[in-house]
Amino acid sequence: KAQRIVTALMTAILTSCSSATVRRDRQAPAEDSFILEPARAGQFELGMGVAQVYEMIGRERLQLVPAFPESILQIELEIRLPGFTDGPALTAVIEESPCLYYALRGITVHDPRFRTRNGLGVGSTLGDVKRLYPSAEVREGESGPLVVIEELGISLTIDSARSFPDTTPITSVWVIPVSYAEQARRCSPQ
């Protein structure tokens, strides 16, 4: 039964995407399209509709994937970008937004080209984080150790280990979801 639900949901999402008008001028993103900011990873903003993502980069670079964190169905959108060949550049959790369309709820960044304005991103080290944010501390998250930087709206995932020397690399960046009220404010036309 769960498989039928996942299949029906994914079909509905893809069907709504296929009815979108597709731009013909898709190109590799510009270098300034890789800035990490609160609620944003480059050109991808939390609250952005799946159909908008489809229009920007095309179906061939997107894949819907069911995930089951804590045994609860979650649909993720894998986004592949030119220039990054080690899997998806971004993985976005999608869900129905207050705007009544499927939208990006949170974004995991795997591509090291995405950086904060002060240079943090995948491949940075815990030492880099501590130099910029001396009060930053390693915490235990749902899926392992991380460092949360509230003012940037991100958390930085690090490898699981018992100790965390300054050379410990950042393995992914999570763009922290915004509140329901903020999602509603960000509603964009579809």
Side-chain angles (χ1 to χ4, degrees):
K1 182 177 179 175
Q3 182 62 36
R4 285 194 314 249
I5 293 170
V6 169
T7 302
L9 181 59
M10 293 175 85
T11 301
I13 293 169
L14 283 175
T15 302
S16 71
C17 287
S18 0
S19 64
T21 305
V22 180
R23 290 182 6 196
R24 296 200 185 336
D25 61 342
R26 290 186 213 119
Q27 299 174 353
E31 282 304 311
D32 63 346
S33 296
F34 294 102
I35 299 295
L36 289 171
E37 298 177 307
R40 177 185 281 298
Q43 58 190 334
F44 304 96
E45 184 175 6
L46 299 183
M48 173 183 276
V50 172
Q52 285 179 281
V53 176
Y54 177 89
E55 288 175 26
M56 277 185 356
I57 65 171
R59 186 177 194 165
E60 66 279 359
R61 293 193 187 140
L62 301 176
Q63 182 173 358
L64 288 169
V65 178
F68 297 92
E70 301 177 15
S71 300
I72 297 170
L73 172 64
Q74 173 176 287
I75 303 297
E76 298 177 345
L77 183 65
E78 292 183 346
I79 302 170
R80 298 184 189 297
L81 298 175
F84 186 73
T85 57
D86 196 21
L90 307 168
T91 303
V93 173
I94 62 171
E95 60 184 35
E96 191 170 14
S97 73
C99 314
L100 304 179
Y101 56 79
Y102 285 90
L104 307 184
R105 170 79 175 120
I107 302 171
T108 301
V109 178
H110 310 284
D111 185 335
R113 294 177 294 179
F114 286 88
R115 299 272 164 186
T116 62
R117 293 203 183 274
N118 56 10
L120 294 178
V122 174
S124 296
T125 65
L126 192 53
D128 298 330
V129 175
K130 288 178 180 178
R131 273 188 290 287
L132 294 167
Y133 300 93
S135 63
E137 295 180 2
V138 176
R139 302 181 195 173
E140 191 60 35
E142 288 179 18
S143 57
L146 52 84
V147 178
V148 176
I149 303 175
E150 297 286 341
E151 60 259 41
L152 297 179
I154 61 172
S155 64
L156 308 166
T157 306
I158 56 179
D159 282 327
S160 296
R162 291 188 182 248
S163 66
F164 304 101
D166 284 353
T167 56
T168 304
I170 303 304
T171 57
S172 66
V173 177
W174 170 245
V175 179
I176 298 171
V178 295
S179 70
Y180 191 81
E182 179 64 15
Q183 286 180 57
R185 188 189 71 71
R186 292 171 179 267
C187 287
S188 58
Q190 288 294 295

